[in-house]
């Protein structure tokens, strides 16, 4: 019988550590529900001690998700572990994931601790975590740059204390597949009680090798858990991409000979949801989930595909959920068809009033755009969520004028804590004019780091999805707005970023 490969998703924790990818509690719950539909084995829902917001999100996810194990990260200290345990209380299956750096560089320069102190803290942390759950994961942070003898001492000791998963972290993406895989193999061979734990890989993509390193850890090193994120979201160059691991192991079952519990048909929905919530667009040529991943442009390829699909296709687009997105709604579609599509997309609105409000926005959009795709519905529901929560800024209306040879002018109306504000300004371009107009009233002092526009679907009728990344006092946030008018989408995105800047949730960075 083939072994099972455990898929541990950390989109909501390590993924969220990407600059600007921080999510609200509701957004995290929506992603967690999609991860449950995808049937991931473990969802790392956050880092409970990092912020009250993260704590609340883990608590809510623990109460909502039934089929996946819910995990919280914690540094190797009692306060973090107790906080993780408290947030996980309602989970049907819970895991505490505790970590401490083991490389000479991190111990000396960052922790300012001796190896013996690190060893002792790791032991204490696992012992304490075991008081709350018998599912405890331990990660030697910067493991791939740690000394083998010391790693062996630490890992043997934490397994003795009851750690059930050992996660070999390539924190800075320094690993090379063969070396990383062999290091893991050698750890498993040298540590006498290594068979008492499941071994896991956790790789970062700084050299573009996160997926290759993870798979080497599985095949050479014998890991049976992969830690990964949807779309490879994560700090710097990101983490191992879940969709690539899943489809590699599934497509090349002849080589990997491993079973997965994943429902691959949910991959594309998960990818779109994460991209839309975080504002991190998926590059068109991204494996599995990029818009071009299954597009054949060359005549020779198209001809081959028509004759026999497997001439140029090693997986089927529909197996990862692409075909589900073709269904189109329009102006004449009724409330029932709309509601059914929401259900099929896994969107659960809480009350009939929310369905009605979303349906009203759908009708408004259908008046301006003849075909409504799934991506439009996702954007519309996200707008709806923002309209309902307690955010300070809301878009109301916009008038904008551009003419060759003239400075563009924008007149924007928005509301701030319920009162309407009108403003106008010129700018180098229409978007600059909008930002100048809003800033003339808000004076946020934020710096715009990124402005990007993406067509949500195909054709000139497509809605534009705009991402604005703002930075202020070391905080970086992404605001996302969608509208068939990209200038309106830009105003929505800017206001959404201002809302995120105002939110009080400060985060600790677990690697610091
Ligand atoms: O990259 C890393 O080392 C981590 C640990 C906290 C597992 O994310
Ligand atoms: Zn990491």
């Amino acid at each position: 019988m083939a072994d099972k490969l455990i898929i541990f998703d950390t989109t909501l924790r390590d993924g969220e550590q990407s600059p600007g990818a921080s999510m609200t509690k509701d957004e995290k719950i929506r992603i967690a529900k999609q991860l449950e539909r995808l049937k991931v084995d473990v969802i790392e829902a956050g880092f409970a001690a990092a912020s009250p917001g993260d704590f609340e999100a883990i608590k809510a996810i623990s109460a909502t998700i039934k089929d996946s194990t819910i995990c919280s990260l914690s540094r190797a200290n009692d306060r973090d572990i107790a906080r993780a345990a408290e947030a996980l209380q309602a989970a049907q299956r819970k895991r505490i994931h505790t970590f401490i750096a083991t490389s000479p560089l991190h111990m000396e320069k960052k922790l300012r601790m001796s190896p013996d102190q690190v060893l002792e803290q790791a032991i204490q942390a696992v012992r304490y975590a075991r008081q709350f759950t018998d599912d405890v994961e331990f990660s030697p942070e910067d493991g791939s740059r740690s000394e083998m003898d010391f790693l062996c001492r630490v890992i043997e000791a934490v397994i003795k204390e009851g750690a059930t998963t050992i996660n070999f972290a390539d924190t800075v993406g320094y690993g090379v597949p063969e070396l990383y895989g062999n290091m893991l193999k050698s750890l498993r061979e040298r540590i006498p009680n290594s068979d008492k734990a499941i071994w896991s890989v956790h790789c970062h993509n700084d050299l573009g090798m996160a997926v290759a390193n993870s798979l080497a850890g599985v095949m050479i090193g014998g890991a049976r858990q992969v830690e990964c994120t949807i779309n490879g979201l994560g700090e710097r160059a990101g983490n191992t991409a879940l969709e690539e691991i899943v489809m590699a192991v599934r497509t090349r079952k002849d080589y990997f000979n491993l079973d997965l519990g994943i429902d691959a048909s949910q991959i594309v929905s998960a990818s779109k949801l994460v991209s839309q919530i975080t504002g991190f667009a998926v590059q068109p040529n991204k494996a599995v989930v990029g818009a071009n991943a299954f597009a054949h442009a060359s005549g020779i390829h198209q001809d081959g595909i028509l004759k026999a699909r497997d001439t140029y296709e090693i997986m089927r687009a529909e197996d990862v959920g692409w075909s589900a997105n073709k269904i189109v709604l329009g102006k004449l579609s009724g409330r029932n068809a709309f509601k059914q599509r929401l259900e099929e997309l896994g969107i659960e609105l809480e009350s009939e009033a929310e369905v009605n409000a979303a349906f009203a926005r759908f009708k408004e959009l259908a008046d301006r755009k003849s075909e409504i795709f799934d991506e439009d519905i996702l954007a519309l529901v996200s707008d709806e969520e923002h309209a309902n929560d307690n955010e300070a800024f809301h878009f109301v209306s916009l008038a904008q004028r551009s003419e060759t040879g003239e400075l563009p002018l924008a007149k924007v109306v928005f509301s701030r804590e319920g009162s309407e504000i009108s403003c106008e300004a010129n700018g180098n371009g229409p978007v600059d004019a909008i930002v100048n107009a809003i800033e003339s009233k808000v004076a946020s002092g934020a710096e715009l780091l990124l402005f990007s526009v993406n067509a949500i679907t195909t054709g000139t009728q497509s809605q534009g999805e705009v991402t604005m990344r703002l930075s202020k006092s070391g905080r970086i946030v992404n605001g996302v707005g969608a509208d068939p008018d990209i200038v309106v989408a830009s105003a929505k995105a800017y206001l959404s970023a201002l809302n995120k800047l105002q939110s009080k949730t400060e985060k600790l960075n677990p690697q610091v």
Side-chain angles (χ1 to χ4, degrees):
M1 225 179 75
D3 281 358
K4 177 168 181 192
L5 186 66
I6 298 168
I7 298 295
F8 175 115
D9 180 277
T10 183
T11 308
L12 299 176
R13 198 280 297 170
D14 222 355
E16 204 208 10
Q17 282 175 221
S18 318
S22 68
M23 306 166 207
T24 64
K25 181 172 106 181
D26 287 344
E27 288 168 343
K28 282 192 156 199
I29 296 172
R30 275 178 68 201
I31 292 179
K33 286 184 179 164
Q34 180 57 28
L35 293 173
E36 187 181 38
R37 280 188 284 274
L38 184 61
K39 295 193 172 32
V40 305
D41 301 285
V42 186
I43 299 175
E44 188 163 50
F47 175 22
S51 69
D54 238 22
F55 177 85
E56 289 304 328
I58 298 170
K59 202 167 156 191
I61 290 169
S62 298
T64 311
I65 301 299
K66 304 285 170 244
D67 299 336
S68 312
T69 297
I70 308 300
C71 173
S72 168
L73 184 69
S74 65
R75 285 166 299 187
N77 65 57
D78 288 3
R79 181 190 165 268
D80 271 28
I81 293 169
R83 198 79 177 134
E86 194 186 339
L88 291 168
Q89 232 159 27
Q92 305 217 328
R93 276 188 299 275
K94 58 182 91 133
R95 173 179 297 187
I96 295 177
H97 174 192
T98 187
F99 75 99
I100 190 162
T102 48
S103 65
L105 186 65
H106 278 225
M107 289 191 290
E108 190 194 322
K109 301 275 193 259
K110 183 184 78 170
L111 298 176
R112 301 213 167 89
M113 286 168 76
S114 69
D116 282 345
Q117 287 172 318
V118 167
L119 170 68
E120 192 47 38
Q121 199 162 321
I123 292 173
Q124 294 301 335
V126 171
R127 185 178 298 159
Y128 188 53
R130 279 297 304 241
Q131 294 186 15
F132 301 101
T133 170
D134 53 16
D135 188 347
V136 173
E137 173 169 328
F138 174 80
S139 294
E141 190 194 5
D142 207 18
S144 58
R145 291 194 299 169
S146 302
E147 281 166 2
M148 283 302 275
D149 288 351
F150 182 59
L151 273 179
C152 288
R153 272 175 73 207
V154 174
I155 295 173
E156 182 179 352
V158 296
I159 295 178
K160 208 186 275 164
E161 287 302 331
T164 42
T165 302
I166 300 296
N167 180 44
F168 185 44
D170 185 25
T171 305
V172 291
Y174 183 71
V176 173
E178 198 183 347
L179 300 182
Y180 179 75
N182 276 322
M183 214 170 156
L184 190 51
K185 180 170 183 266
S186 155
L187 286 171
R188 289 183 57 237
E189 282 166 1
R190 285 180 54 182
I191 296 174
N193 54 2
S194 67
D195 60 324
K196 303 277 184 304
I198 291 174
W199 288 72
S200 165
V201 283
H202 177 110
C203 299
H204 283 262
N205 204 31
D206 299 64
L207 294 173
M209 293 191 280
V211 169
N213 285 335
S214 301
L215 292 174
V218 170
M219 291 310 279
I220 304 174
R224 287 296 175 263
Q225 171 176 287
V226 176
E227 301 202 350
C228 43
T229 59
I230 302 291
N231 300 336
L233 187 70
E235 271 192 290
R236 309 182 307 275
N239 286 53
T240 301
L242 177 146
E243 60 280 2
E244 295 179 23
I245 293 289
V246 166
M247 292 317 287
V249 170
R250 210 179 115 135
T251 309
R252 296 305 309 269
K253 173 110 199 225
D254 58 316
Y255 174 70
F256 291 104
N257 191 26
L258 289 166
D259 285 335
L260 290 164
I262 296 291
D263 176 356
S265 69
Q266 294 294 328
I267 285 179
V268 168
S269 302
S271 162
K272 287 187 189 299
L273 186 63
V274 169
S275 154
Q276 195 250 332
I277 284 178
T278 57
F280 279 65
V282 176
Q283 76 197 53
N285 58 332
K286 165 84 179 62
V288 184
V289 292
N292 285 354
F294 292 90
H296 297 275
S298 102
I300 295 174
H301 287 203
Q302 284 173 350
D303 180 57
I305 291 276
L306 289 175
K307 287 178 177 145
R309 214 174 154 163
D310 52 4
T311 48
Y312 287 101
E313 263 185 22
I314 56 166
M315 7 170 209
R316 295 183 314 171
E318 54 270 36
D319 290 350
V320 293
W322 276 109
S323 54
N325 294 322
K326 291 210 181 101
I327 297 179
V328 167
L329 296 175
K331 199 172 168 155
L332 301 176
S333 306
R335 188 179 176 284
N336 279 348
F338 175 69
K339 201 174 161 194
Q340 188 187 333
R341 196 66 203 130
L342 286 180
E343 278 165 17
E344 284 159 2
L345 286 171
I347 299 166
E348 291 163 28
L349 293 181
E350 266 159 27
S351 61
E352 282 305 299
E354 273 185 32
V355 177
N356 290 342
F359 183 60
R361 291 173 80 101
F362 160 74
K363 281 287 181 188
E364 222 174 78
L365 183 63
D367 271 340
R368 296 193 284 152
K369 188 173 182 290
S370 56
E371 291 175 321
I372 308 286
F373 295 88
D374 292 346
E375 289 82 349
D376 294 315
I377 297 177
L378 285 170
L380 185 136
V381 170
S382 159
D383 269 4
E384 192 55 40
E385 286 197 339
H386 289 303
N388 285 339
D389 58 28
N390 299 325
E391 289 180 335
F393 299 103
H394 292 285
F395 173 78
V396 177
S397 65
L398 172 83
Q400 191 274 320
R401 202 175 52 102
S402 292
E403 202 180 322
T404 313
E406 299 281 324
L407 263 188
L409 172 76
K411 296 182 181 182
V412 185
V413 182
F414 64 94
S415 67
R416 180 178 200 164
E417 272 132 22
S419 354
E420 252 181 48
I421 299 174
S422 304
C423 48
E424 62 175 85
N426 294 104
N428 281 339
V431 175
D432 190 41
I434 289 167
V435 170
N436 292 343
I438 296 174
E439 279 298 325
S440 71
K441 298 291 179 185
V442 176
S444 71
E447 186 191 351
L448 183 65
L449 298 183
L450 173 112
F451 163 64
S452 82
V453 189
N454 235 320
I456 295 188
T457 53
T458 49
T460 49
Q461 270 211 354
S462 166
Q463 289 203 85
E465 189 171 66
V466 173
T467 302
M468 297 262 196
R469 182 174 300 163
L470 295 185
S471 157
K472 189 182 172 190
S473 320
R475 277 193 81 198
I476 299 177
V477 295
N478 275 334
V480 183
D483 198 276
D485 179 335
I486 54 170
V487 184
V488 171
S490 304
K492 289 181 178 174
Y494 196 75
L495 292 169
S496 142
L498 289 179
N499 280 325
K500 289 196 174 171
L501 266 188
Q502 284 224 331
S503 106
K504 303 261 178 316
T505 30
E506 292 297 344
K507 286 192 177 279
L508 288 179
N509 183 342
Q511 329 250 339
V512 175

